Amino acid sequence: KQVGHTRPGPSSPDRASLIALARQLSLLDEVSPAVLRWTPAGYEIANVAKEYCNWIEAGRTLPEGVTRDVIAGRRVLDVGCSFGRHLVSFAASGASATYGIDLQENYLRLSRIMAARERVPAPKLSRAAAEELPFRDQQFDDVFSRLVLNYVRSVDRALSEMSGVLARGGRLILRVDTPADSMRVMMRM
């Protein structure tokens, strides 16, 4: 679990040694005798591992609602690109150029590694917020953003920035949490 979870009952020696190793590497904290929680570094590593496994399990496909016909030959910006799995899928599907922004420098480094590992052209990456895109007006044919609007300070400002960098006839492709998912996140806070 990403936020924290109840420690299981009797566990195998392998699980216990993994927990001990994660603690030694400062990836896990013990909140109480019954609850473990990821440290910030642990969360980041666990999140990338989970998302990477999901991407592999899904067959390295494009995000839901995006097809090769939609992306081929187009300049694509991924706002909140994380470690670059969608940038890789866009490039592999024939995007003419891929750009990504994220607030976390570690994710941008991983995006470069992912592109090299998957043998696609390296994306152009910037550390930036969705509310302050470092691009000129009408630079992109498509702007894609997955689960970013749930976390920005100003949705209006982010949407204005995203639409401003779209060329005439460009597409804004947004993925947001469902209301049920948003409620689960709020309940954990």
Side-chain angles (χ1 to χ4, degrees):
K1 302 263 181 177
Q2 292 184 17
V3 174
H5 64 278
T6 304
R7 182 176 289 148
S11 58
S12 71
D14 290 341
R15 182 171 185 85
S17 63
L18 287 174
I19 289 171
L21 178 59
R23 281 182 168 154
Q24 183 182 5
L25 294 172
S26 299
L27 302 178
L28 275 178
D29 280 335
E30 187 170 359
V31 177
S32 72
V35 177
L36 296 171
R37 182 173 305 163
W38 293 116
T39 62
Y43 173 83
E44 193 171 304
I45 290 167
N47 188 48
V48 169
K50 172 190 64 99
E51 292 292 337
Y52 181 74
C53 289
N54 289 342
W55 182 67
I56 296 295
E57 186 175 68
R60 297 183 164 120
T61 57
L62 288 164
E64 187 178 331
V66 179
T67 64
R68 181 178 291 272
D69 295 340
V70 167
I71 295 300
R74 298 177 66 86
R75 299 164 296 164
V76 181
L77 169 63
D78 185 348
V79 175
C81 65
S82 183
F83 67 92
R85 72 184 178 284
H86 294 310
L87 290 170
V88 165
S89 296
F90 297 150
S93 295
S96 66
T98 56
Y99 293 74
I101 68 150
D102 203 282
L103 288 174
Q104 296 190 46
E105 189 62 41
N106 286 340
Y107 285 164
L108 297 175
R109 273 190 233 113
L110 286 171
S111 292
R112 290 179 191 95
I113 293 166
M114 278 286 292
R117 184 183 185 292
E118 296 296 319
R119 295 183 173 91
V120 298
K124 293 163 184 70
L125 301 165
S126 298
R127 186 174 184 273
E131 301 97 315
E132 298 175 19
L133 297 179
F135 305 107
R136 67 181 190 281
D137 288 350
Q138 300 185 15
Q139 185 173 345
F140 299 101
D141 301 309
D142 297 302
V143 174
F144 172 81
S145 183
R146 177 183 174 266
L147 304 179
V148 171
L149 293 180
N150 300 69
Y151 303 99
V152 298
R153 292 179 194 250
S154 170
V155 172
D156 290 343
R157 177 81 177 148
L159 288 172
S160 176
E161 286 286 307
M162 288 183 215
S163 62
V165 298
L166 278 173
R168 286 182 73 89
R171 290 179 286 239
L172 180 58
I173 306 165
L174 300 174
R175 301 283 307 189
V176 296
D177 273 342
T178 64
D181 289 337
S182 295
M183 288 302 292
R184 278 192 284 279
V185 169
M186 288 178 14
M187 295 296 284
R188 286 191 298 231
M189 294 178 161

